[in-house]
Amino acid sequence: TLTDGDNFIFEVLSEQERNMLVERMECVSYRKGGVIIKQGDEGDYFYVITEGDVDVYVSKARQDKLIAASLGPIASNDNFDVTL
């Protein structure tokens, strides 16, 4: 979990700092197949996956969408931001 420091991104924070961070986080759920953010949209969030899996697609000119990554829950150390 985020508060125990097992995730490599949060392990450098003290327990107090992790707790403060978690208190300021917002939990958002998405339906299976839902879009979290589209390629080209402005990104200003950092996402932590706590349940389920996320596929990241990249579109290139004259090609179908390609899976760029498959991410899982925080236990697998998967996180992503959308600042491009």
Side-chain angles (χ1 to χ4, degrees):
T1 66
L2 292 177
T3 55
D4 63 16
D6 282 346
N7 185 276
F8 75 98
I9 290 180
F10 303 106
E11 70 186 1
V12 298
L13 301 175
S14 70
E15 182 178 358
Q16 181 181 8
E17 291 169 324
R18 287 191 304 270
N19 287 331
M20 288 172 49
L21 179 65
V22 169
E23 287 173 9
R24 288 165 178 78
M25 288 181 152
E26 177 183 349
C27 184
V28 180
S29 297
Y30 292 89
R31 291 178 179 246
K32 183 176 182 172
V35 175
I36 297 172
I37 188 166
K38 293 180 186 175
Q39 183 174 335
D41 287 353
E42 183 177 329
D44 57 358
Y45 291 96
F46 179 82
Y47 294 88
V48 177
I49 304 163
T50 58
E51 291 181 22
D53 298 300
V54 175
D55 289 331
V56 179
Y57 294 91
V58 175
S59 295
K60 294 187 177 187
R62 294 182 236 137
Q63 291 183 355
D64 292 332
K65 290 181 183 177
L66 306 170
I67 294 182
S70 291
L71 307 173
I74 191 169
S76 63
N77 287 325
D78 285 342
N79 312 274
F80 67 99
D81 67 36
V82 291
T83 304
L84 303 173

